[in-house]
Amino acid sequence: MDVGAVVIAVAGVAGTLGGALLTQRGADKAKRRELEMSQALQEEREDRELRRRCYTELHRDARQFCTALSRHLYVMRDRAVGEEDVQALEAAKDTYRDRWSEALMVAPDAVVDPARAVNGALNAVYGQVKRLEQGNPRPGETLRSAAEAQHAVWTLIAAAREAMRRDLGITTEAGEPSPYSTDANTFFHVFSSPGRGPS
């Protein structure tokens, strides 16, 4: 048997096997990459859905807490605060607090920063309302000052909502949020009329 022919035959078989092995390895690598990309896309979708749900609930609960503060101010203006009034305000505050805690673990800084401004403002108004309710206001705290502070929270909520929408890719515009009411003076006037509860 010719040694050269054997070497050529062995080289041919090795080349064929090596080529098949390289092709298989390439196919395996491509499959792994495809699987990794698919998993990354799935994780991205799940993360976006988690943020969307969290933002929806945070926005809703911030609005409800702000509305509860407004309602409480009207109660304080018109009559003595009852236990059910206190419970309604506390329930709105507690629900919002839980949602805020969740958002801190999910949202990026671009959303947390404006949402933190909302959180600080809501808590400041809540503190003012409770001090007025208990008859221990700080100097300068009145129903009107509390109403003005509560009214200002709406603009902060709108700014936080826009940051959430940008993060979700719903909007790319960073416009100036408009105030919720154009007739703020009428709104504030009802809290500074004489003979209407604590001033």
mmCIF file of all heavy atoms in Angstrom, residues 62 65-66 69 89-90 92-94 96-98 100-101 104 115-131 138 141 149-150 153 156:
data_model
loop_
_atom_site.group_PDB
_atom_site.id
_atom_site.type_symbol
_atom_site.label_atom_id
_atom_site.label_comp_id
_atom_site.label_asym_id
_atom_site.label_seq_id
_atom_site.Cartn_x
_atom_site.Cartn_y
_atom_site.Cartn_z
ATOM 1 N N ALA A 62 -50.622 58.447 43.696
ATOM 2 C CA ALA A 62 -50.216 59.821 44.027
ATOM 3 C C ALA A 62 -51.395 60.764 43.813
ATOM 4 O O ALA A 62 -51.658 61.652 44.640
ATOM 5 C CB ALA A 62 -49.026 60.241 43.170
ATOM 6 N N PHE A 65 -53.918 60.198 46.647
ATOM 7 C CA PHE A 65 -53.460 60.786 47.909
ATOM 8 C C PHE A 65 -53.634 62.305 47.856
ATOM 9 O O PHE A 65 -54.123 62.927 48.807
ATOM 10 C CB PHE A 65 -52.004 60.405 48.154
ATOM 11 C CG PHE A 65 -51.433 60.845 49.474
ATOM 12 C CD1 PHE A 65 -52.239 61.178 50.567
ATOM 13 C CD2 PHE A 65 -50.061 60.919 49.647
ATOM 14 C CE1 PHE A 65 -51.686 61.571 51.783
ATOM 15 C CE2 PHE A 65 -49.502 61.314 50.852
ATOM 16 C CZ PHE A 65 -50.314 61.648 51.919
ATOM 17 N N CYS A 66 -53.280 62.912 46.722
ATOM 18 C CA CYS A 66 -53.423 64.358 46.573
ATOM 19 C C CYS A 66 -54.902 64.761 46.662
ATOM 20 O O CYS A 66 -55.257 65.748 47.318
ATOM 21 C CB CYS A 66 -52.819 64.806 45.240
ATOM 22 S SG CYS A 66 -52.489 66.572 45.149
ATOM 23 N N LEU A 69 -56.065 64.560 50.241
ATOM 24 C CA LEU A 69 -55.632 65.742 51.000
ATOM 25 C C LEU A 69 -56.567 66.918 50.737
ATOM 26 O O LEU A 69 -56.965 67.637 51.666
ATOM 27 C CB LEU A 69 -54.194 66.110 50.629
ATOM 28 C CG LEU A 69 -53.118 65.188 51.180
ATOM 29 C CD1 LEU A 69 -51.794 65.396 50.442
ATOM 30 C CD2 LEU A 69 -52.939 65.397 52.685
ATOM 31 N N LEU A 89 -58.125 59.403 54.689
ATOM 32 C CA LEU A 89 -56.840 60.044 54.377
ATOM 33 C C LEU A 89 -55.677 59.097 54.647
ATOM 34 O O LEU A 89 -54.752 58.974 53.840
ATOM 35 C CB LEU A 89 -56.679 61.336 55.193
ATOM 36 C CG LEU A 89 -55.369 62.096 54.958
ATOM 37 C CD1 LEU A 89 -55.215 62.500 53.499
ATOM 38 C CD2 LEU A 89 -55.306 63.319 55.873
ATOM 39 N N GLU A 90 -55.728 58.396 55.784
ATOM 40 C CA GLU A 90 -54.640 57.473 56.136
ATOM 41 C C GLU A 90 -54.545 56.312 55.139
ATOM 42 O O GLU A 90 -53.444 55.880 54.782
ATOM 43 C CB GLU A 90 -54.833 56.930 57.560
ATOM 44 C CG GLU A 90 -54.721 57.990 58.647
ATOM 45 C CD GLU A 90 -53.407 58.754 58.620
ATOM 46 O OE1 GLU A 90 -52.342 58.103 58.524
ATOM 47 O OE2 GLU A 90 -53.446 59.995 58.678
ATOM 48 N N ALA A 92 -55.370 56.381 51.945
ATOM 49 C CA ALA A 92 -54.761 56.907 50.708
ATOM 50 C C ALA A 92 -53.258 57.083 50.887
ATOM 51 O O ALA A 92 -52.472 56.753 49.999
ATOM 52 C CB ALA A 92 -55.418 58.229 50.321
ATOM 53 N N LYS A 93 -52.856 57.588 52.040
ATOM 54 C CA LYS A 93 -51.422 57.795 52.317
ATOM 55 C C LYS A 93 -50.686 56.457 52.344
ATOM 56 O O LYS A 93 -49.615 56.314 51.752
ATOM 57 C CB LYS A 93 -51.230 58.520 53.644
ATOM 58 C CG LYS A 93 -49.757 58.705 54.034
ATOM 59 C CD LYS A 93 -49.600 59.365 55.383
ATOM 60 C CE LYS A 93 -50.000 58.502 56.526
ATOM 61 N NZ LYS A 93 -49.051 57.469 56.918
ATOM 62 N N ASP A 94 -51.242 55.473 53.034
ATOM 63 C CA ASP A 94 -50.581 54.170 53.163
ATOM 64 C C ASP A 94 -50.444 53.470 51.808
ATOM 65 O O ASP A 94 -49.403 52.869 51.509
ATOM 66 C CB ASP A 94 -51.341 53.276 54.143
ATOM 67 C CG ASP A 94 -51.241 53.770 55.586
ATOM 68 O OD1 ASP A 94 -50.392 54.644 55.871
ATOM 69 O OD2 ASP A 94 -52.024 53.290 56.427
ATOM 70 N N TYR A 96 -50.326 54.901 48.868
ATOM 71 C CA TYR A 96 -49.315 55.637 48.104
ATOM 72 C C TYR A 96 -47.907 55.288 48.607
ATOM 73 O O TYR A 96 -46.990 55.068 47.813
ATOM 74 C CB TYR A 96 -49.551 57.150 48.201
ATOM 75 C CG TYR A 96 -48.347 57.914 47.734
ATOM 76 C CD1 TYR A 96 -48.048 58.020 46.381
ATOM 77 C CD2 TYR A 96 -47.463 58.470 48.648
ATOM 78 C CE1 TYR A 96 -46.909 58.674 45.946
ATOM 79 C CE2 TYR A 96 -46.320 59.126 48.221
ATOM 80 C CZ TYR A 96 -46.048 59.231 46.875
ATOM 81 O OH TYR A 96 -44.908 59.856 46.459
ATOM 82 N N ARG A 97 -47.727 55.232 49.914
ATOM 83 C CA ARG A 97 -46.401 54.934 50.486
ATOM 84 C C ARG A 97 -45.894 53.576 50.001
ATOM 85 O O ARG A 97 -44.725 53.433 49.636
ATOM 86 C CB ARG A 97 -46.482 54.948 52.016
ATOM 87 C CG ARG A 97 -45.122 54.711 52.694
ATOM 88 C CD ARG A 97 -45.276 54.351 54.147
ATOM 89 N NE ARG A 97 -46.061 53.131 54.243
ATOM 90 C CZ ARG A 97 -46.993 52.918 55.176
ATOM 91 N NH1 ARG A 97 -47.251 53.801 56.099
ATOM 92 N NH2 ARG A 97 -47.676 51.790 55.183
ATOM 93 N N ASP A 98 -46.771 52.581 49.966
ATOM 94 C CA ASP A 98 -46.371 51.256 49.493
ATOM 95 C C ASP A 98 -45.940 51.301 48.025
ATOM 96 O O ASP A 98 -44.952 50.682 47.628
ATOM 97 C CB ASP A 98 -47.517 50.251 49.660
ATOM 98 C CG ASP A 98 -47.814 49.958 51.134
ATOM 99 O OD1 ASP A 98 -46.983 50.307 51.993
ATOM 100 O OD2 ASP A 98 -48.891 49.396 51.410
ATOM 101 N N TRP A 100 -44.809 53.929 46.393
ATOM 102 C CA TRP A 100 -43.564 54.693 46.302
ATOM 103 C C TRP A 100 -42.375 53.801 46.650
ATOM 104 O O TRP A 100 -41.345 53.845 45.990
ATOM 105 C CB TRP A 100 -43.652 55.905 47.222
ATOM 106 C CG TRP A 100 -42.363 56.634 47.429
ATOM 107 C CD1 TRP A 100 -41.734 56.845 48.608
ATOM 108 C CD2 TRP A 100 -41.540 57.270 46.442
ATOM 109 N NE1 TRP A 100 -40.565 57.559 48.426
ATOM 110 C CE2 TRP A 100 -40.422 57.829 47.092
ATOM 111 C CE3 TRP A 100 -41.628 57.399 45.058
ATOM 112 C CZ2 TRP A 100 -39.410 58.514 46.426
ATOM 113 C CZ3 TRP A 100 -40.623 58.086 44.387
ATOM 114 C CH2 TRP A 100 -39.530 58.630 45.077
ATOM 115 N N SER A 101 -42.525 52.976 47.671
ATOM 116 C CA SER A 101 -41.445 52.054 48.059
ATOM 117 C C SER A 101 -41.114 51.103 46.922
ATOM 118 O O SER A 101 -39.939 50.812 46.658
ATOM 119 C CB SER A 101 -41.845 51.246 49.299
ATOM 120 O OG SER A 101 -42.046 52.098 50.395
ATOM 121 N N LEU A 104 -39.142 52.853 44.049
ATOM 122 C CA LEU A 104 -37.729 53.078 44.356
ATOM 123 C C LEU A 104 -36.862 51.889 43.956
ATOM 124 O O LEU A 104 -35.673 52.044 43.684
ATOM 125 C CB LEU A 104 -37.542 53.364 45.848
ATOM 126 C CG LEU A 104 -37.986 54.739 46.326
ATOM 127 C CD1 LEU A 104 -37.905 54.825 47.847
ATOM 128 C CD2 LEU A 104 -37.155 55.837 45.689
ATOM 129 N N ALA A 115 -40.319 61.901 40.749
ATOM 130 C CA ALA A 115 -41.259 61.233 41.661
ATOM 131 C C ALA A 115 -40.904 61.546 43.113
ATOM 132 O O ALA A 115 -41.789 61.641 43.972
ATOM 133 C CB ALA A 115 -41.254 59.724 41.416
ATOM 134 N N ARG A 116 -39.608 61.723 43.394
ATOM 135 C CA ARG A 116 -39.180 62.092 44.748
ATOM 136 C C ARG A 116 -39.706 63.485 45.109
ATOM 137 O O ARG A 116 -40.090 63.742 46.250
ATOM 138 C CB ARG A 116 -37.655 62.042 44.850
ATOM 139 C CG ARG A 116 -37.151 62.353 46.253
ATOM 140 C CD ARG A 116 -35.644 62.192 46.384
ATOM 141 N NE ARG A 116 -35.322 60.771 46.474
ATOM 142 C CZ ARG A 116 -34.523 60.110 45.645
ATOM 143 N NH1 ARG A 116 -33.949 60.740 44.636
ATOM 144 N NH2 ARG A 116 -34.287 58.830 45.812
ATOM 145 N N ALA A 117 -39.749 64.382 44.132
ATOM 146 C CA ALA A 117 -40.303 65.725 44.377
ATOM 147 C C ALA A 117 -41.783 65.620 44.741
ATOM 148 O O ALA A 117 -42.267 66.306 45.653
ATOM 149 C CB ALA A 117 -40.115 66.614 43.141
ATOM 150 N N VAL A 118 -42.514 64.742 44.055
ATOM 151 C CA VAL A 118 -43.932 64.505 44.383
ATOM 152 C C VAL A 118 -44.048 63.959 45.796
ATOM 153 O O VAL A 118 -44.869 64.429 46.595
ATOM 154 C CB VAL A 118 -44.577 63.518 43.376
ATOM 155 C CG1 VAL A 118 -45.987 63.132 43.827
ATOM 156 C CG2 VAL A 118 -44.597 64.110 41.977
ATOM 157 N N ASN A 119 -43.235 62.963 46.111
ATOM 158 C CA ASN A 119 -43.280 62.344 47.434
ATOM 159 C C ASN A 119 -43.024 63.373 48.538
ATOM 160 O O ASN A 119 -43.754 63.425 49.532
ATOM 161 C CB ASN A 119 -42.251 61.214 47.509
ATOM 162 C CG ASN A 119 -42.318 60.451 48.809
ATOM 163 O OD1 ASN A 119 -43.342 59.860 49.127
ATOM 164 N ND2 ASN A 119 -41.247 60.477 49.571
ATOM 165 N N GLY A 120 -42.005 64.196 48.359
ATOM 166 C CA GLY A 120 -41.695 65.212 49.363
ATOM 167 C C GLY A 120 -42.826 66.212 49.531
ATOM 168 O O GLY A 120 -43.179 66.585 50.655
ATOM 169 N N ALA A 121 -43.408 66.635 48.406
ATOM 170 C CA ALA A 121 -44.495 67.614 48.467
ATOM 171 C C ALA A 121 -45.740 67.027 49.131
ATOM 172 O O ALA A 121 -46.387 67.680 49.960
ATOM 173 C CB ALA A 121 -44.816 68.121 47.066
ATOM 174 N N LEU A 122 -46.086 65.791 48.762
ATOM 175 C CA LEU A 122 -47.261 65.153 49.376
ATOM 176 C C LEU A 122 -47.075 65.005 50.886
ATOM 177 O O LEU A 122 -47.991 65.275 51.666
ATOM 178 C CB LEU A 122 -47.512 63.778 48.742
ATOM 179 C CG LEU A 122 -48.153 63.783 47.354
ATOM 180 C CD1 LEU A 122 -48.100 62.386 46.734
ATOM 181 C CD2 LEU A 122 -49.587 64.287 47.416
ATOM 182 N N ASN A 123 -45.886 64.583 51.295
ATOM 183 C CA ASN A 123 -45.636 64.424 52.730
ATOM 184 C C ASN A 123 -45.641 65.759 53.460
ATOM 185 O O ASN A 123 -46.098 65.838 54.607
ATOM 186 C CB ASN A 123 -44.329 63.671 52.961
ATOM 187 C CG ASN A 123 -44.477 62.188 52.670
ATOM 188 O OD1 ASN A 123 -45.495 61.584 52.978
ATOM 189 N ND2 ASN A 123 -43.482 61.605 52.051
ATOM 190 N N ALA A 124 -45.144 66.804 52.810
ATOM 191 C CA ALA A 124 -45.153 68.134 53.432
ATOM 192 C C ALA A 124 -46.583 68.627 53.618
ATOM 193 O O ALA A 124 -46.940 69.167 54.677
ATOM 194 C CB ALA A 124 -44.346 69.117 52.588
ATOM 195 N N VAL A 125 -47.417 68.441 52.596
ATOM 196 C CA VAL A 125 -48.821 68.856 52.711
ATOM 197 C C VAL A 125 -49.521 68.019 53.778
ATOM 198 O O VAL A 125 -50.277 68.558 54.602
ATOM 199 C CB VAL A 125 -49.560 68.718 51.354
ATOM 200 C CG1 VAL A 125 -51.052 69.014 51.520
ATOM 201 C CG2 VAL A 125 -48.946 69.654 50.323
ATOM 202 N N TYR A 126 -49.263 66.725 53.770
ATOM 203 C CA TYR A 126 -49.883 65.849 54.777
ATOM 204 C C TYR A 126 -49.516 66.322 56.187
ATOM 205 O O TYR A 126 -50.387 66.424 57.063
ATOM 206 C CB TYR A 126 -49.429 64.403 54.564
ATOM 207 C CG TYR A 126 -49.882 63.461 55.650
ATOM 208 C CD1 TYR A 126 -51.182 62.983 55.680
ATOM 209 C CD2 TYR A 126 -49.007 63.060 56.665
ATOM 210 C CE1 TYR A 126 -51.606 62.115 56.683
ATOM 211 C CE2 TYR A 126 -49.416 62.203 57.665
ATOM 212 C CZ TYR A 126 -50.712 61.732 57.671
ATOM 213 O OH TYR A 126 -51.127 60.890 58.673
ATOM 214 N N GLY A 127 -48.245 66.636 56.412
ATOM 215 C CA GLY A 127 -47.820 67.126 57.730
ATOM 216 C C GLY A 127 -48.526 68.408 58.109
ATOM 217 O O GLY A 127 -48.986 68.579 59.250
ATOM 218 N N GLN A 128 -48.653 69.314 57.145
ATOM 219 C CA GLN A 128 -49.331 70.579 57.415
ATOM 220 C C GLN A 128 -50.813 70.351 57.747
ATOM 221 O O GLN A 128 -51.345 70.931 58.694
ATOM 222 C CB GLN A 128 -49.185 71.495 56.184
ATOM 223 C CG GLN A 128 -49.553 72.928 56.458
ATOM 224 C CD GLN A 128 -49.243 73.859 55.301
ATOM 225 O OE1 GLN A 128 -49.788 74.955 55.271
ATOM 226 N NE2 GLN A 128 -48.400 73.475 54.356
ATOM 227 N N VAL A 129 -51.455 69.478 56.969
ATOM 228 C CA VAL A 129 -52.869 69.171 57.197
ATOM 229 C C VAL A 129 -53.067 68.563 58.582
ATOM 230 O O VAL A 129 -53.980 68.943 59.326
ATOM 231 C CB VAL A 129 -53.408 68.224 56.092
ATOM 232 C CG1 VAL A 129 -54.743 67.609 56.487
ATOM 233 C CG2 VAL A 129 -53.526 68.980 54.771
ATOM 234 N N LYS A 130 -52.207 67.626 58.952
ATOM 235 C CA LYS A 130 -52.355 66.971 60.262
ATOM 236 C C LYS A 130 -52.121 67.967 61.408
ATOM 237 O O LYS A 130 -52.815 67.917 62.424
ATOM 238 C CB LYS A 130 -51.398 65.781 60.388
ATOM 239 C CG LYS A 130 -51.702 64.634 59.446
ATOM 240 C CD LYS A 130 -53.145 64.159 59.516
ATOM 241 C CE LYS A 130 -53.401 63.238 60.689
ATOM 242 N NZ LYS A 130 -54.767 62.698 60.701
ATOM 243 N N ARG A 131 -51.148 68.870 61.240
ATOM 244 C CA ARG A 131 -50.922 69.864 62.299
ATOM 245 C C ARG A 131 -52.118 70.798 62.429
ATOM 246 O O ARG A 131 -52.524 71.134 63.550
ATOM 247 C CB ARG A 131 -49.640 70.654 62.013
ATOM 248 C CG ARG A 131 -48.367 69.851 62.282
ATOM 249 C CD ARG A 131 -47.122 70.700 62.176
ATOM 250 N NE ARG A 131 -46.866 71.225 60.843
ATOM 251 C CZ ARG A 131 -46.225 70.560 59.876
ATOM 252 N NH1 ARG A 131 -45.788 69.320 60.096
ATOM 253 N NH2 ARG A 131 -46.025 71.117 58.700
ATOM 254 N N ARG A 138 -47.745 75.288 62.529
ATOM 255 C CA ARG A 138 -46.517 76.073 62.624
ATOM 256 C C ARG A 138 -46.837 77.503 62.197
ATOM 257 O O ARG A 138 -47.874 77.747 61.561
ATOM 258 C CB ARG A 138 -45.447 75.482 61.711
ATOM 259 C CG ARG A 138 -44.953 74.128 62.186
ATOM 260 C CD ARG A 138 -43.925 73.560 61.236
ATOM 261 N NE ARG A 138 -43.456 72.264 61.703
ATOM 262 C CZ ARG A 138 -42.805 71.395 60.957
ATOM 263 N NH1 ARG A 138 -42.531 71.683 59.691
ATOM 264 N NH2 ARG A 138 -42.412 70.245 61.456
ATOM 265 N N GLU A 141 -48.879 78.593 58.899
ATOM 266 C CA GLU A 141 -49.689 77.501 58.354
ATOM 267 C C GLU A 141 -51.168 77.795 58.566
ATOM 268 O O GLU A 141 -51.606 78.007 59.705
ATOM 269 C CB GLU A 141 -49.318 76.162 58.996
ATOM 270 C CG GLU A 141 -47.973 75.639 58.550
ATOM 271 C CD GLU A 141 -47.649 74.263 59.094
ATOM 272 O OE1 GLU A 141 -48.256 73.854 60.110
ATOM 273 O OE2 GLU A 141 -46.772 73.600 58.506
ATOM 274 N N ALA A 149 -50.311 74.651 48.868
ATOM 275 C CA ALA A 149 -49.276 73.619 48.767
ATOM 276 C C ALA A 149 -49.831 72.355 48.113
ATOM 277 O O ALA A 149 -49.173 71.730 47.270
ATOM 278 C CB ALA A 149 -48.716 73.306 50.154
ATOM 279 N N GLN A 150 -51.059 71.981 48.485
ATOM 280 C CA GLN A 150 -51.685 70.798 47.890
ATOM 281 C C GLN A 150 -51.916 71.010 46.403
ATOM 282 O O GLN A 150 -51.649 70.126 45.590
ATOM 283 C CB GLN A 150 -53.011 70.498 48.612
ATOM 284 C CG GLN A 150 -53.758 69.270 48.114
ATOM 285 C CD GLN A 150 -54.670 69.558 46.931
ATOM 286 O OE1 GLN A 150 -55.115 70.685 46.733
ATOM 287 N NE2 GLN A 150 -54.923 68.533 46.139
ATOM 288 N N VAL A 153 -48.923 70.443 44.115
ATOM 289 C CA VAL A 153 -48.478 69.055 43.916
ATOM 290 C C VAL A 153 -48.910 68.536 42.544
ATOM 291 O O VAL A 153 -48.209 67.724 41.931
ATOM 292 C CB VAL A 153 -49.002 68.131 45.041
ATOM 293 C CG1 VAL A 153 -48.614 66.673 44.780
ATOM 294 C CG2 VAL A 153 -48.474 68.578 46.393
ATOM 295 N N LEU A 156 -46.291 68.841 39.965
ATOM 296 C CA LEU A 156 -45.206 67.879 40.188
ATOM 297 C C LEU A 156 -45.620 66.477 39.725
ATOM 298 O O LEU A 156 -44.816 65.739 39.158
ATOM 299 C CB LEU A 156 -44.815 67.857 41.668
ATOM 300 C CG LEU A 156 -44.282 69.179 42.245
ATOM 301 C CD1 LEU A 156 -44.061 69.054 43.744
ATOM 302 C CD2 LEU A 156 -43.003 69.585 41.538
#
